Amino acid sequence: MISFLDLKKINAPYETAFQEKLKSVLYGGWYILGKEVKAFETSFAAYCGAKYCIGVGNGLDALTLIFKGYIQLGKLQKGDEVIVPTNTYIASILAIIQADLVPVLVEPRLETYNINPDLIQKNTTIKTKAILAVHLYGQLAEMDVINEIAKQNNLLVVEDAAQSHGAFFAENSKPKVENDNVQAYSFYPGKNLGALGDGGAIVTNDSDLAEVLFSLRNYGSETKYYNDFVGVNSRLDELQAAFLNVKLQNLDSENEQRRSIANRYLTEIKNEKIILPTVLSQGTKHSNHVFHLFVIRTGNRANLQAYLLEKGIQTMIHYPVPPHKQKAFPEWNILSFPITEKIHDEVLSLPISPVLTCEEVSFVIENINNY
Ligand SMILES: *Cc1c(COP(=O)(O)O)cnc(C)c1O
C-alpha cells in the first residue's frame, strides 16, 4: 500500500538529532520561550528573507494574531472587510472572524486553485481593508497583481503561507517577504515543514507589528506580570522549536524532492479523464510551487479514488466541503460559488512527499494512465 503521507518515514531519519535536542532542552531546564525558540525565530526569519519571525502556537493563531495586531495598531477596526478565497482551508476564514473582522469570499481560478485577482478588485468596497491571500496547495498566489491592487486601494496584505514554506518567485532566487506584507505559517506535522505537534509562526518586516505580536502571543506582556495588551497564550513550544531547528536545514532539499515528483506527474500522467494542476510559470524549476499537495481534477472522483485504493494507492480530498457550505456558517449555505463548488466536487490529492520512492511514483502514474 502506498500511503498518502507517511509521517513516520518522513521523521525517522531525524531520530538521533531529535534525541539530542530533547536531551539539551530537558537538561537546559528552560521550557518556554527559550533559546531554541529564539534560534528558530532568527533562522526562519532569515530563511524567509524577513526581519522578524514570531513563533506562535499554531497556524490559526498566527493568522488571528496578525489581524489582532493590526487592530491594536489602529490599522484595522472591528467590522472591517477582509477579502479571502472561497476555497481555502477553514482556518483562514476562522482567523478573520475571531478577530471580529468580516470575511468577503472571492472565487479562485479553476486552473490554479488560487484566488482570482480580477475578482478582488470587483469585491473591493470602502469597507475593504485587507486581503488574505492563500498560497493553496503550495503554489504562490499571483502576488505581483495582488500587491498592486492592494497598493492602489490602500489595503493590507496578509499571506496564509501554511502550505507554502520555501516557495518563492523565480526572480528573487530565494524566499523574500515583499513590501509590508506579513506571512502566517503552520508547522502542523503534515506541512512541508512539520513539527511533532502543533506550531506556527508569523514573518514580517514591519517592526511595529512585530513588537505588538511578540507581546500579544505572550499574554500581551513584555515584562513578566506587566500587561500592555489583552493578549493570549500562544507561544511556539520550546521542544517543537528544537525539532524545527533540525528540520529547517532540509526544507529546501525536501521541497526539491516534492518538485521532482510533481514534474513526473505533470509530464507522465496522460489520461483524458484527468485534469492536471496548472503551475504558473515562474522559471523552469517551479520555485513558486512547493507542492504541499498535488491536486488533480476528475469528473467521477469517487470512482477514481476507489480504483486507486483497490490498486493500493491512498489518496485524499482537500477539501470535501467548501467553507460556505459548512454547518458552522448556516448564513452562507444558500450562497453559490460555482467554481469553488466544482473544485470541491472534483479534486483528488495524489501521494506526494519527500519519502515517496521512484518506483512508487511510477506505480501511481502507471495506474492512473490505465484508468
Ligand atoms: C494548516 C493550515 C492552517 C492552519 O494551521 P494549524 O497549524 O493547523 O492551525 C491555515 N491555513 C491553511 C491554508 C492551512 O493549510
Side-chain angles (χ1 to χ4, degrees):
M1 170 65 93
I2 300 179
S3 72
F4 178 72
L5 184 64
D6 189 343
L7 286 177
K8 261 195 281 185
K9 201 171 172 189
I10 286 175
N11 286 313
Y14 298 106
E15 183 180 349
T16 310
F18 284 168
Q19 274 172 346
E20 275 165 24
K21 284 290 189 186
L22 170 62
K23 236 194 231 169
S24 141
V25 172
L26 176 62
Y27 293 111
W30 189 283
Y31 304 132
I32 298 287
L33 296 183
K35 59 179 196 235
E36 293 289 347
V37 169
K38 202 152 218 117
F40 179 75
E41 287 174 339
T42 304
S43 312
F44 198 62
Y47 178 83
C48 296
K51 286 194 193 134
Y52 307 99
C53 168
I54 302 99
V56 297
N58 54 66
L60 172 59
D61 283 356
L63 287 163
T64 309
L65 286 170
I66 289 169
F67 290 119
K68 289 188 172 172
Y70 277 136
I71 289 174
Q72 204 70 61
L73 290 170
K75 291 193 171 180
L76 287 178
Q77 284 178 349
K78 289 183 181 179
D80 284 348
E81 290 181 357
V82 180
I83 286 180
V84 62
T86 33
N87 62 322
T88 185
Y89 179 59
I90 202 76
S92 323
I93 290 166
L94 291 177
I96 296 169
I97 293 171
Q98 287 184 2
D100 296 315
L101 301 166
V102 178
V104 174
L105 306 178
V106 168
E107 288 250 72
R109 290 194 203 277
L110 183 60
E111 300 75 26
T112 63
Y113 311 120
N114 271 334
I115 195 163
N116 184 343
D118 302 338
L119 301 179
I120 295 179
Q121 192 74 61
K122 277 203 190 113
N123 282 276
T124 299
T125 70
I126 47 160
K127 287 164 90 182
T128 311
K129 292 291 174 323
I131 302 170
L132 175 51
V134 181
H135 307 311
L136 201 68
Y137 307 149
Q139 174 160 227
L140 295 180
E142 293 163 59
M143 293 311 297
D144 43 358
V145 190
I146 292 171
N147 287 332
E148 189 53 39
I149 295 170
K151 209 167 105 188
Q152 280 167 14
N153 296 280
N154 208 9
L155 308 176
L156 299 166
V157 179
V158 180
E159 299 176 46
D160 183 338
Q163 303 188 356
S164 64
H165 318 67
F168 60 88
F169 288 108
E171 64 266 26
N172 292 342
S173 80
K174 54 182 180 164
K176 180 170 172 289
V177 178
E178 303 282 351
N179 309 331
D180 291 328
N181 294 11
V182 52
Q183 299 180 329
Y185 287 89
S186 162
F187 307 117
Y188 178 83
K191 310 286 177 168
N192 287 30
L193 180 59
L196 303 186
D198 277 312
I202 300 158
V203 168
T204 184
N205 289 318
D206 181 336
S207 57
D208 294 338
L209 182 64
E211 193 180 332
V212 169
L213 290 171
F214 278 119
S215 175
L216 275 182
R217 71 154 180 204
N218 188 29
Y219 290 108
S221 165
E222 217 172 323
T223 311
K224 211 170 183 182
Y225 308 130
Y226 291 82
N227 302 85
D228 307 318
F229 307 110
V230 180
V232 298
N233 176 358
S234 183
R235 303 172 290 223
L236 177 60
D237 183 77
E238 181 72 0
L239 204 47
Q240 298 306 334
F243 299 148
L244 290 168
N245 278 323
V246 173
K247 289 186 79 177
L248 179 58
Q249 296 172 37
N250 284 350
L251 177 57
D252 283 340
S253 67
E254 293 193 352
N255 279 342
E256 212 40 65
Q257 280 163 294
R258 288 173 181 274
R259 282 192 193 109
S260 74
I261 294 166
N263 272 326
R264 286 199 58 196
Y265 283 159
L266 288 168
T267 51
E268 295 176 41
I269 292 176
K270 288 186 170 40
N271 184 326
E272 285 177 347
K273 297 191 213 78
I274 308 294
I275 301 163
L276 294 166
T278 297
V279 181
L280 295 182
S281 95
Q282 298 282 343
T284 49
K285 292 192 76 192
H286 297 337
S287 66
N288 61 314
H289 202 328
V290 290
F291 295 98
H292 173 59
L293 296 170
F294 191 93
V295 180
I296 61 169
R297 287 195 293 123
T298 189
N300 192 344
R301 172 177 64 196
N303 188 272
L304 175 62
Q305 188 169 35
Y307 161 85
L308 289 172
L309 192 60
E310 196 183 294
K311 301 288 180 191
I313 299 163
Q314 192 187 24
T315 56
M316 302 259 281
I317 298 167
H318 298 92
Y319 301 92
V321 181
H324 70 281
K325 295 293 181 195
Q326 297 284 356
K327 278 194 204 153
F329 304 119
E331 68 280 21
W332 290 344
N333 290 175
I334 48 151
L335 299 180
S336 157
F337 293 105
I339 296 170
T340 295
E341 284 155 36
K342 188 174 172 64
I343 287 172
H344 284 75
D345 286 344
E346 296 185 347
V347 286
L348 191 68
S349 306
L350 303 182
I352 189 162
S353 88
V355 294
L356 211 61
T357 66
C358 264
E359 294 72 33
E360 288 172 323
V361 176
S362 300
F363 187 74
V364 174
I365 292 167
E366 197 178 301
N367 279 290
I368 291 183
N369 287 346
N370 290 336
Y371 169 67

